[in-house]
Amino acid sequence: MQYISNKNKILKKLIFFILFFTSSCFAEDLRININSGQVDPLPIAIADFTGEKGKASETGRLISQVISNNLVSSGQFKAVDSAAFIAPPTSPSVRPNFTDWSPLGIKALITGSIKNVDDQQIEIEFRLWDVIAETDLIGLRLSVNSKAWRRVAHIISDEIFERLSGDSGYFDTRIVYIAESGPQDKRLKRLAIMDQDGENHQYLTDGSFLVLTPRFSPTTQEITYLAYFKNEPRVYIFNLETGQQELLGSFPGMTFAPRFSPTGDKIIMSLATKGVTDIYTMNLNNQKVTRLTNSVSIDTSPSFSPNGKKVIFNSDRGGSQQIYIMDNNGNNVKRISFGKGRYATPVWAPKGELIAFTKMLKNKFFIGVMAPDGSGERLLAEGYLVEGPTWAPNGRVLMYFKQEAPKDNGKSSSVNLYKIDITGFRETRILTPSDGSDPAWSPLLPN
Amino acid sequence: MVKSTFISFSLHVLFIIIAYYGLPLSKINDPIEQPIDIVEDINIGSQTSLKLGNLDKKQPSKNKKIDSKNPTKKNIIPPPPPTPPGQKIRDNKNLELKKKKEVEKVAQLIKKKPKLKIKKIKESQPPVVVSKPEKKIKDQKMQLAKGILKTLTKSQPISEETKKEKQKKSNKDVLKTIRQIVGNSNVRVAKTEIRLSITDINKIQNHVKKFWKVSYGASEVKMIITLKINTNTDGTVNSVNFFDKSLYIKDKFYRATADAARRAVFDSSPLPLPKGKEKKFENFLFDFDTSFINSY
């Protein structure tokens, strides 16, 4: 009997636990779905980096300024004016009083410090705080040459950008472009390079010969560009690390820019032979040229997909200039643009989800994006002449050049570089010493 | 989560208690169910004791019916007069109906009427039954008032009956208490089941939406970001926890967007909780869906 009663007790306990756990497993929680929000700039405070004894040093102030400019130019952040700060800047090792920052609408706070290690080396430390959640999100310490403080500011900007947006940063990058100066009839065009924010500007050529359409290698610190030497187009590769340039070859019929393949071992270009312009690739290892298209129409401005399997280009084979897609061997050519107007200079985004292009419609130029199948066309920028889009390495920002309408009977017309975020809400002009055109964005610089 | 778990837990505990104590009671339940009929018989009998002799002969069939139901009990209890006044009324009514049937030509309608009346009688019985114990107590008091001897002489059968009655009553009380417990628990469950309207939810959704600032990079997040929220009754947010912590560590897009969602929740504090339903929001989940960014 006792055995039975014990057995019953065990059974009852077992039933109890089964019921309890199953009930807790199937217990329904209240769920509220939030399916919309604002793709708005995030209010951020960048406190001056403190120096010795907690005071902000001049370099610290400059670093915070560069970070601020970088983040604001991305269109994803709104820097709160430091004049509105209630609390003084603190060391990154000190937890800030968040109640000093949250009333200003600040969502994220950056604090940092700078310390001289020796005459040349500096140690920069920073921390990113979530003011609302009252927690730190990231903290880093960097030791660099004191002359490289600007680059450190870009690296810090990249870290903050990535932590708050999820996307890789693009601030520690460079832009190569054609610097233009002089009157329209005697235009001096030089190859120039600068940081993505326009700083550290340098000329790479002296202007003794015309240069066009520079392009960055996706894998190395090399630039390919087109130069007219004695009226003959030549393709060069310029190594930024060594300063040396290499002649790839002369291409009498070259009509448009050579562009690197994703692996960097090939360039793709269009060549005009016997009145027919087609697309070719050149293997940089053995300089073997392969023809991809073979039509009587004009096929130009080719660009590889990020995986290298597809090529987009523009062609007038359908009667008007439109964008086409094909396999990397020239097969399966298919038109993807069907909107009104003419389409040109298609460039595949680094992530592959979008294609940037130039559109011409009713005497106006536009910079736009579309999906690789031609759907979802969006026009981001417009102007008298906007052309030559190039992608930032994270695929979130586009740079292009914009020419103003000619003044003084066509004698003067300024050309400038602009960048715009992919949402199309923030267009920023890049300040250059002279006019600029044909920009090309570098990949992230190696550390 | 905790609340619902607590409710389910308490319900299951209750269920187990009922199951636990109900199992031995269920053995008694068989006689408990029977006394309900017997009580009726006894009461009816007590009311109609003076007419027993007259009605005994008239109601053999009904007694048989009762016998078939409760053969053992009937042996114990003196032959009850089941339906003395009611039967007459029924008979009279049946006669009247028969007359009406003859008079009225619409047979189908008339046929329905007696059914309805029977139901009414059945329904009217319970209040009669309720009043009967009082009358019985009065009779007992009257008997007690007449003299001790009388009560003593009749005490033995009465005591047996009362014992049984007490047993029956106690059983009935147990049943009642169980019913009350079950009933009360149901009421409690009903009270805790706070129903939220669409407007209640929309109000909170629209409030939080205003504070959710996401970057374009959130379009890379292919999953819904779920946050566990704990709030006070005034709507202030106590804590926000990430549901998928492993993904938060692994995926940089998820992490950044989840942080933005957390900021939105804290920023939107206090939440506009519907009045009287605050407890429902003590612990709940927010599902942040980034799919809308693709439309940008």
Side-chain angles (χ1 to χ4, degrees), chain A residues 330-350:
Chain A
N331 294 335
N332 298 321
V333 179
K334 187 182 165 187
R335 181 177 163 179
I336 60 165
S337 65
F338 292 94
K340 288 179 183 175
R342 293 182 291 131
Y343 293 80
T345 66
V347 191
W348 219 307

Side-chain angles (χ1 to χ4, degrees), chain A residues 346-357:
Chain A
V347 191
W348 219 307
K351 289 179 182 174
E353 84 283 13
L354 289 172
I355 288 165
F357 57 85

Side-chain angles (χ1 to χ4, degrees), chain A residues 110 203 240 330:
Chain A
I110 299 158
Y203 291 107
L240 290 167

Side-chain angles (χ1 to χ4, degrees), chain A residues 5 74 85 114 135-136 226 414 422 442:
Chain A
S5 64
S74 72
F85 293 173
I114 183 166
T135 182
D136 67 314
L226 181 70
S414 64
I422 202 69
S442 81

Side-chain angles (χ1 to χ4, degrees), chain A residues 226-237:
Chain A
L226 181 70
Y228 278 87
F229 182 75
K230 293 180 181 176
N231 292 326
E232 191 177 274
R234 289 178 169 183
V235 175
Y236 289 89
I237 286 185

Side-chain angles (χ1 to χ4, degrees), chain B residues 10-263:
Chain B
S10 57
L11 278 171
H12 282 104
V13 165
L14 194 68
F15 176 75
I16 289 157
I17 289 165
I18 292 161
Y20 187 87
Y21 291 105
L23 284 169
L25 281 172
S26 63
K27 290 173 184 174
I28 305 163
N29 273 347
D30 293 332
I32 287 168
E33 284 178 5
Q34 288 167 352
I36 295 165
D37 293 333
I38 294 158
V39 167
E40 281 179 3
D41 291 340
I42 291 161
N43 291 332
I44 292 161
S46 64
Q47 274 187 337
T48 57
S49 59
L50 292 171
K51 298 174 184 177
L52 276 172
N54 299 327
L55 292 163
D56 270 344
K57 291 175 184 175
K58 290 180 181 177
Q59 307 264 329
S61 61
K62 290 219 169 184
N63 284 336
K64 278 177 186 175
K65 280 179 186 175
I66 293 159
D67 286 347
S68 63
K69 285 177 185 174
N70 304 311
T72 52
K73 295 287 173 186
K74 211 202 164 187
N75 292 332
I76 300 160
I77 297 158
T83 53
Q87 188 63 35
K88 281 185 177 179
I89 293 161
R90 281 181 197 172
D91 292 338
N92 292 332
K93 282 184 179 177
N94 286 331
L95 287 166
E96 284 173 10
L97 285 168
K98 282 177 183 176
K99 285 176 183 177
K100 281 179 184 176
K101 279 178 186 176
E102 288 174 2
V103 175
E104 291 173 3
K105 291 179 180 177
V106 186
Q108 289 177 349
L109 291 169
I110 294 162
K111 281 177 185 174
K112 286 176 185 175
K113 281 181 183 176
K115 283 181 184 174
L116 286 167
K117 280 181 183 177
I118 290 159
K119 281 180 184 175
K120 279 177 186 175
I121 290 158
K122 282 181 181 174
E123 284 169 2
S124 64
Q125 278 174 348
V128 177
V129 170
V130 170
S131 63
K132 280 166 190 172
E134 289 177 4
K135 285 178 182 178
K136 195 193 170 187
I137 292 159
K138 281 178 185 176
D139 292 340
Q140 283 176 349
K141 282 178 182 176
M142 287 292 285
Q143 283 174 354
L144 284 166
K146 282 177 184 177
I148 299 163
L149 284 171
K150 279 189 178 177
T151 53
L152 286 170
T153 52
K154 292 181 181 177
S155 64
Q156 281 181 349
I158 289 164
S159 65
E160 281 175 10
E161 282 181 3
T162 48
K163 278 180 184 176
K164 285 170 186 172
E165 280 171 16
K166 277 178 185 176
Q167 279 182 349
K168 288 165 195 169
K169 277 182 182 178
S170 65
N171 290 336
K172 197 182 176 184
D173 288 340
V174 170
L175 264 176
K176 275 182 181 177
T177 49
I178 289 165
R179 279 172 185 171
Q180 278 175 353
I181 290 162
V182 173
N184 288 338
S185 68
N186 287 336
V187 170
R188 278 172 201 161
V189 171
K191 278 179 183 175
T192 52
E193 277 179 6
I194 301 162
R195 287 183 182 181
L196 295 169
S197 64
I198 294 165
T199 47
D200 292 338
I201 301 294
N202 282 350
K203 207 174 176 182
I204 294 164
Q205 281 174 327
N206 293 331
H207 182 70
V208 178
K209 278 175 191 175
K210 288 185 282 185
F211 295 94
W212 191 25
K213 290 180 192 295
V214 283
S215 70
Y216 193 80
S219 60
E220 300 283 340
V221 181
K222 304 298 175 196
M223 287 178 71
I224 286 169
I225 294 160
T226 304
L227 301 181
K228 290 186 272 189
I229 315 295
N230 176 263
T231 61
N232 295 322
T233 48
D234 62 349
T236 51
V237 177
N238 273 334
S239 66
V240 179
N241 291 306
F242 303 113
F243 198 80
D244 196 336
K245 286 178 182 172
S246 61
L247 201 58
Y248 181 84
I249 294 161
K250 283 178 197 169
D251 190 335
K252 61 180 184 175
F253 289 105
Y254 187 93
R255 183 166 58 243
T257 314
D259 282 335
R262 181 175 61 178
R263 278 195 293 275

